[in-house]
């Protein structure tokens, strides 16, 4: 790798697995010190199609993968649905790594169901995760980025906002 991010610091939300983990690993491989965050340090429970599941992946695993590859990562558990945890995340991350240059808003929420079966609570949680949380975290990150003279904010969206994937899943058929 080019190490073009040496000396930079990053926060990646939703980085205990999947795309968030891959982004955190890539940033670290380019030299950034990465704060990884997810709801908890242990495997998370999630509701999908009205049923609770335990999701694979933990922050500790993400940190281990980054450190085994020679990078540096700091885990901070924060449930982004909890107002107090969300409000303190940016400052905690900046304190842990000495500033904040990069924010990747990757964390998401999905309880796939058809519109006619989706509860208003699920709709509200979805909007909060994909609109409100990135806005609030970006708002809190900007002062830290101004201190260092620059910064980057990347917002990751969901492919479910695009045309339905064929063959149609049950929640796309209605």
């Amino acid at each position: 790798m080019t190490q073009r991010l040496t000396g930079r610091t990053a926060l990646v939300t939703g980085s205990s697995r999947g795309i968030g983990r891959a982004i955190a690993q890539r940033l670290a491989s380019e030299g950034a010190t990465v704060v990884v965050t997810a709801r908890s340090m242990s495997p998370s429970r999630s509701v999908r199609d009205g049923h609770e599941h335990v999701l694979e992946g933990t922050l500790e695993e993400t940190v281990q993968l980054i450190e085994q590859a020679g990078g540096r990562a700091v885990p901070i558990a924060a449930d982004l649905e909890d107002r107090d945890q969300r409000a303190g995340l940016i400052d905690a991350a900046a304190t842990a790594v000495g500033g904040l240059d990069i924010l990747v808003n990757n964390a998401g929420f999905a309880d796939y169901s058809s519109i006619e079966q989706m509860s208003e609570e699920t709709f509200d949680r979805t909007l909060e995760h994909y609109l409100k949380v990135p806005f609030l975290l970006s708002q809190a990150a900007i002062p830290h980025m101004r201190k260092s003279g620059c910064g980057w904010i990347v917002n990751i969206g969901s492919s479910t906002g695009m045309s339905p994937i064929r063959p149609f899943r049950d929640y796309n058929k209605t």
Side-chain angles (χ1 to χ4, degrees), residues 74-88:
V74 176
I76 298 177
D79 183 346
L80 298 179
E81 290 186 39
D82 181 294
R83 182 181 305 246
D84 293 333
Q85 290 182 41
R86 180 177 62 222

Side-chain angles (χ1 to χ4, degrees), residues 112-157:
Y112 301 114
S113 60
S114 66
I115 289 174
E116 67 184 347
Q117 295 174 341
M118 183 182 288
S119 70
E120 186 174 350
E121 177 188 29
T122 297
F123 178 78
D124 289 342
R125 286 180 73 194
T126 302
L127 286 181
E128 182 161 329
H129 270 275
Y130 289 108
L131 297 175
K132 186 175 183 178
V133 168
F135 168 77
L136 293 171
L137 293 181
S138 297
Q139 195 174 49
I142 289 170
H144 293 281
M145 294 175 178
R146 286 192 196 280
K147 280 183 191 173
S148 66
C150 64
W152 298 267
I153 298 172
V154 178
N155 296 312
I156 306 294

Side-chain angles (χ1 to χ4, degrees), residues 85-113:
Q85 290 182 41
R86 180 177 62 222
L89 177 60
I90 296 294
D91 287 340
T95 298
V97 295
L100 186 64
D101 300 304
I102 303 164
L103 169 62
V104 179
N105 286 307
N106 170 71
F109 166 79
D111 180 2
Y112 301 114
S113 60

